[in-house]
Amino acid sequence: MSNRVTLRDVAHEAGVHASTASRALNPETRSVVNDETVARVLVAAERLGYRPHPLARGLRTNQTMSVGMVIPDIENPLFGPIVAGAESVLGGHGYSLLIANAEGSDEKTWPVLQALNERRVDGMIIATASRSDRAVRALRDEGVHIVLVNRSTEDRVPCIVGDDHAGIGLAVRHLADLGHRRIGHVAGPQHLSTGVGRHEAFLAWMNRLDLVVGTEDVEVADWYQVMPGYEAAARLLSRRPDLTAVVAANDLIALGTYRAVRERGGEVGVDVSVTGYNDIPLLDLMQPPMTSVRVPYRQMGVEAARMLLTIITSGPGSDAVASVELAPTLSVRGSSGPV
């Protein structure tokens, strides 16, 4: 038998009808109840520890009180803070967060999105979007409320992202200040906004600082993981053995670059400086500790959840919310040193 406090219990405690208690507890209908009664009901609810049942609330509002979140790689540590930030906001508003992992596969993303849509989630936070994403476009056409996180598309879809141009600038300027002039870049996948954005930012900052850069100074990793990063860095260093520094598109690619440098007999931070991107946990325990661009990923999750709730509560047409870029910082450690 459940000991859950019901609406009727609150109404009895406050000495009002259940329908009156319901209106007093709902911010959208509270104005039709006199202030004294509202205060009495709220005190009763607080004293009894009453919490609205999400399912019952959903039946009244035609909502499931759930939000779906799709991430591309559950093994990538950067997504944990995003999830935590989003859950902290959604949970406080009575929403459940359903997390789905696309396992780094574009082919698996659409079935995952469909499954969440079939569960009638009230909206989705999507971290898997590619630059030209037909799945996101299809969901938008169906009227699904969407906020992208950490990535953007060529279509106008609300998103919360880091300022990659500024972030790569922090890394390139840091290396230039250390005296590096021959700097290479291991880029991320070019079908993703983060991959192409950081690549373009690298070229722009090298030119801005009057540093020589060409196509031979850039190698593209197939994915944001250690092994693809190693393979790309090995190709880059084989082609350009004179490089004294490498800007990696993320921390896992940077870890792969560590291995490529060492296989060539070099020492990271001494012979070749390496910078990462994202500043995932435990980088300070690497050998050497990694210099990385820090993106406020927990805040990214918080802002994505807030934006989605605004879209959900504001109704049709509200998804034209402007996108937000979060400012990065640079965490300087031992993987970057003077020439």
Side-chain angles (χ1 to χ4, degrees):
M1 179 177 294
S2 174
N3 293 322
R4 183 184 182 89
V5 177
T6 67
L7 180 63
R8 290 186 180 276
D9 295 330
V10 175
H12 178 76
E13 180 76 9
V16 298
H17 193 275
S19 60
T20 302
S22 177
R23 286 190 289 270
L25 291 168
N26 186 346
E28 297 180 2
T29 59
R30 188 171 293 162
S31 60
V32 303
V33 183
N34 71 68
D35 293 343
E36 181 183 347
T37 302
V38 169
R40 196 162 68 246
V41 171
L42 292 177
V43 169
E46 181 66 25
R47 183 163 53 242
L48 296 175
Y50 173 73
R51 296 292 181 271
H53 194 290
L55 181 58
R57 178 180 170 186
L59 291 172
R60 292 194 303 271
T61 61
N62 196 30
Q63 293 180 317
T64 61
M65 301 305 298
S66 62
V67 166
M69 186 171 190
V70 185
I71 58 178
D73 185 358
I74 202 167
E75 295 182 355
N76 191 325
L78 81 85
F79 294 106
I82 297 177
V83 172
E87 199 282 329
S88 69
V89 173
L90 294 170
H93 286 79
Y95 284 81
S96 298
L97 183 61
L98 308 180
I99 302 169
N101 178 31
E103 299 180 12
S105 168
D106 292 339
E107 292 75 20
K108 292 184 178 180
T109 300
W110 177 238
V112 167
L113 293 170
Q114 281 184 311
L116 288 172
N117 197 25
E118 289 169 0
R119 286 177 172 266
R120 298 182 62 245
V121 293
D122 298 325
M124 296 188 197
I125 298 173
I126 300 176
T128 57
S130 59
R131 293 168 60 200
S132 179
D133 200 305
R134 290 180 295 176
V136 170
R137 196 176 302 123
L139 291 174
R140 281 287 302 276
D141 291 344
E142 291 182 29
V144 178
H145 299 312
I146 295 172
V147 171
L148 306 181
V149 66
N150 194 46
R151 296 183 187 174
S152 60
T153 67
E154 295 169 350
D155 300 316
R156 182 175 172 78
V157 180
C159 61
I160 310 291
V161 296
D163 187 341
D164 286 340
H165 182 80
I168 291 294
L170 292 174
V172 174
R173 283 183 297 177
H174 168 65
L175 293 170
D177 289 344
L178 290 171
H180 294 277
R181 296 295 178 265
R182 297 187 298 275
I183 306 172
H185 178 50
V186 181
Q190 296 298 285
H191 68 289
L192 303 179
S193 62
T194 49
V196 71
R198 294 169 193 173
H199 176 199
E200 291 176 348
F202 173 77
L203 299 177
W205 280 101
M206 291 288 286
N207 286 318
R208 180 172 175 174
L209 297 175
D210 294 325
L211 300 176
V212 176
V213 63
T215 56
E216 70 277 6
D217 299 307
V218 176
E219 191 65 47
V220 177
D222 295 334
W223 191 241
Y224 286 119
Q225 276 292 349
V226 176
M227 185 54 66
Y230 157 71
E231 293 169 348
R235 293 193 299 270
L236 175 64
L237 293 174
S238 176
R239 184 170 66 245
R240 288 298 310 272
D242 58 328
L243 293 178
T244 63
V246 175
V247 174
N250 87 334
D251 295 330
L252 300 181
I253 288 176
L255 285 175
T257 304
Y258 273 35
R259 175 181 169 185
V261 170
R262 288 165 178 158
E263 283 194 353
R264 297 182 64 83
E267 183 178 349
V268 174
V270 177
D271 300 299
V272 180
S273 289
V274 178
T275 65
Y277 203 105
N278 295 329
D279 204 18
I280 61 176
L282 305 183
L283 291 187
D284 56 326
L285 301 181
M286 303 297 174
Q287 290 299 324
M290 186 186 295
T291 295
S292 183
V293 177
R294 173 181 286 273
V295 180
Y297 283 113
R298 183 181 177 88
Q299 186 64 26
M300 187 178 287
V302 166
E303 297 299 333
R306 288 174 176 168
M307 182 179 287
L308 184 60
L309 289 178
T310 297
I311 293 172
I312 291 172
T313 57
S314 299
S318 62
D319 56 354
V321 178
S323 299
V324 175
E325 284 188 332
L326 302 179
T329 56
L330 185 67
S331 299
V332 178
R333 303 187 181 96
S335 68
S336 57
V339 177

